[in-house]
């Protein structure tokens, strides 16, 4: 066991024993990546959903056994299931959004600056959104969540070979899209 694995084992033991500092550290270590994953996959309230994910993680913490990599897979498995639940619920209820002045697209200090700042992120998301759902899930978990192929397979309940094939097809699809439009990520004035 290396130092990182020993430190994680100690952290996990403390969290399982109910030490608040250990639970806080688990949150600090994993919540940003979970929120980024949920945001990238289209969650309407990624911060709220991240909180729900960790409520579940902490409820099930005493039963968890494994190393740091297994724990990361466990956390993202919970996140993926919560996201699927949210998407299912939205599809049943239809799309609704509560009006908020700060999110009103007609109101911005400088629409051009805001658009320029977000153009790269929006284009990358648009490219990922054009992929078939299985390929998109693999790419977001690999890139945003920084999971290994094996961890992605565990989260998505797929074989490692299937995940590798989905990743290969996704990369080929992205290459084709970018080759057909070489100016896709260029922005004015930069």
């Amino acid at each position: 066991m290396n130092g990182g694995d020993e430190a994680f084992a100690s952290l996990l033991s403390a969290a399982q024993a109910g030490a608040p500092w250990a639970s806080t550290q688990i949150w600090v270590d994993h919540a940003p990546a979970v929120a980024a994953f949920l945001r990238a996959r289209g969650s309407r309230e990624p911060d709220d959903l991240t909180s729900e994910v960790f409520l579940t993680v902490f409820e099930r913490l005493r039963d968890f056994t494994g190393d740091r990599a297994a724990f990361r897979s466990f956390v993202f498995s919970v996140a993926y299931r919560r996201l699927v639940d949210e998407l299912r619920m939205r599809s049943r209820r239809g799309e609704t959004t509560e009006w908020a002045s700060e999110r009103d697209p007609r109101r911005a200090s400088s629409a051009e600056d805001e658009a320029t700042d977000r153009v790269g992120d929006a284009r990358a998301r648009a490219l990922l959104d054009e992929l078939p759902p299985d390929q998109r899930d693999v790419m977001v978990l690999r890139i945003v969540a920084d999971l290994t192929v094996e961890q992605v397979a565990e989260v998505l309940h797929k074989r490692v070979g299937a995940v590798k094939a989905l990743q290969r097809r996704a990369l080929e699809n992205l290459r084709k899209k970018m080759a057909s439009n070489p100016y896709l990520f260029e922005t004015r004035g930069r």
Side-chain angles (χ1 to χ4, degrees):
M1 211 184 252
N2 69 34
D5 290 335
E6 289 175 10
F8 176 77
S10 296
L11 176 67
L12 179 62
S13 293
Q16 288 173 324
W21 68 267
S23 295
T24 300
Q25 190 60 50
I26 286 173
W27 169 269
V28 167
D29 290 346
H30 295 88
V34 168
F37 164 71
L38 296 171
R39 189 172 292 108
R41 284 293 289 116
S43 173
R44 291 283 186 251
E45 298 291 334
D47 295 330
D48 290 347
L49 197 54
T50 299
S51 295
E52 288 180 32
V53 166
F54 280 92
L55 285 174
T56 302
V57 166
F58 293 136
E59 282 174 6
R60 298 181 185 169
L61 196 58
R62 291 188 190 276
D63 298 327
F64 176 80
T65 56
D67 62 5
R68 184 174 31 184
F71 185 75
R72 191 164 171 84
S73 294
F74 164 65
V75 169
F76 278 95
S77 292
V78 173
Y80 182 75
R81 285 193 297 273
R82 290 290 177 260
L83 176 67
V84 168
D85 291 345
E86 178 190 317
L87 297 175
R88 231 183 252 137
M89 189 177 353
R90 279 195 342 228
S91 72
R92 279 189 233 133
R93 291 184 183 169
E95 292 293 320
T96 60
T97 13
E98 187 176 319
W99 183 83
S101 63
E102 64 274 2
R103 290 186 303 195
D104 190 339
R106 299 169 294 185
R107 182 179 165 202
S109 58
S110 169
E112 184 179 354
D113 289 344
E114 192 173 311
T116 302
D117 290 344
R118 294 184 183 174
V119 75
D121 185 43
R123 287 181 181 162
R125 267 199 194 147
L127 273 174
L128 288 173
D129 285 345
E130 290 178 19
L131 293 172
D134 282 351
Q135 292 177 19
R136 183 181 57 233
D137 288 342
V138 167
M139 294 306 291
V140 171
L141 286 167
R142 291 282 288 138
I143 296 166
V144 177
D146 195 28
L147 296 181
T148 65
V149 170
E150 293 77 14
Q151 290 169 320
V152 172
E154 186 177 328
V155 169
L156 298 178
H157 303 288
K158 295 187 181 296
R159 293 183 335 272
V160 169
V163 169
K164 287 179 180 179
L166 286 166
Q167 179 177 305
R168 203 170 28 256
R169 280 180 270 179
L171 289 171
E172 185 58 34
N173 281 338
L174 292 172
R175 273 189 212 103
K176 285 178 186 175
K177 287 182 189 316
M178 294 189 70
S180 68
N181 189 353
Y183 304 107
L184 194 60
F185 283 95
E186 274 192 16
T187 60
R188 285 185 178 164
R190 287 195 177 184

